Amino acid sequence: RADVCDFTQGPTGSQLLAELSAQDRAFCLQQMTRCEFPAGTVIFQKDEPSDAMYLIICGRVDIWLNYGFADAVRLASFRQGVTFGEMGLLRDKPRTADAVAAVDVVALKLDRAGLAHLQQQHPAILTHLLIAISQELAYRLGRTNRALRAVLKG
C-alpha cells in the first residue's frame, strides 16, 4: 500500500532531494525536523502564519478549503515524496488552505530558520531546492488550469 511507510528508500525518492549528492542531501536533512501526524490531524489551517514546508516521507495529506464545514472542498491529495506548505513559506504570507493527514503521515519539516541556514551555509543547495519546488508548483498550476478548462467547457 502507498499509505504504509517504506523507509528502505528514505527521502531520496523525492525529486526535491534525489539529485543532491549524498553529502548535500545529508546537510539538507540536518535542517529538517521529522514530524508524525496521526490520521485526521490538522497539520495547519487557512490563515495561520506560514512558518514551514513539509516533505512527505509516507502517508497522504489532503489539502482543503473550509475543512470541517459542510461546504468543504478537497483541492489536492499529496503522497510520498511530495512537498506541501511551500507557497506560504516562500511568500511569507498566511496559509491559503487547510492541510490534514488523511492517514498516518511521517514528514520532514523545513522551517524558516532551516531555510535561512541553507541560504547562509549552502546557497547552491537552496538554489536546487527552489528550482525543484518551482517545477512542482508549475506542474500543479498547469494541472489546475487544465481542470478548469475542462469544467468551463463542460
Side-chain angles (χ1 to χ4, degrees):
R1 284 187 35 206
D3 295 336
V4 177
C5 287
D6 175 11
F7 289 103
T8 58
Q9 292 195 1
T12 59
S14 165
Q15 186 65 25
L16 187 70
L17 302 175
E19 295 176 11
L20 292 174
S21 69
Q23 182 179 356
D24 287 351
R25 186 179 314 116
F27 183 81
C28 190
L29 291 171
Q30 289 173 358
Q31 310 315 308
M32 299 176 163
T33 305
R34 182 184 167 164
C35 302
E36 296 185 18
F37 303 103
T41 300
V42 176
I43 299 168
F44 57 73
Q45 292 182 298
K46 182 180 183 298
D47 297 324
E48 287 182 350
S50 297
D51 62 345
M53 62 175 267
Y54 300 84
L55 170 62
I56 301 171
I57 301 304
C58 69
R60 189 180 88 232
V61 174
D62 291 340
I63 307 299
W64 292 86
L65 283 180
N66 298 325
Y67 179 73
F69 293 94
D71 63 343
V73 176
R74 187 177 68 189
L75 301 174
S77 292
F78 299 130
R79 295 184 183 272
Q80 179 177 350
V82 177
T83 58
F84 66 97
E86 61 282 281
M87 285 177 27
L89 178 66
L90 296 175
R91 294 176 54 229
D92 196 20
K93 301 281 185 187
R95 301 287 185 190
T96 59
D98 308 314
V100 180
V103 298
D104 291 348
V105 171
V106 176
L108 296 175
K109 177 181 178 179
L110 179 62
D111 62 17
R112 203 168 298 288
L115 201 65
H117 192 88
L118 282 170
Q119 183 178 14
Q120 294 167 357
Q121 299 297 316
H122 286 284
I125 296 174
L126 179 61
T127 298
H128 167 81
L129 295 180
L130 292 176
I131 289 170
I133 290 167
S134 297
Q135 290 171 337
E136 176 64 21
L137 292 175
Y139 168 77
R140 292 178 196 170
L141 180 60
R143 187 177 60 200
T144 300
N145 287 343
R146 287 187 295 280
L148 283 174
R149 275 195 293 274
V151 168
L152 294 174
K153 287 181 181 179

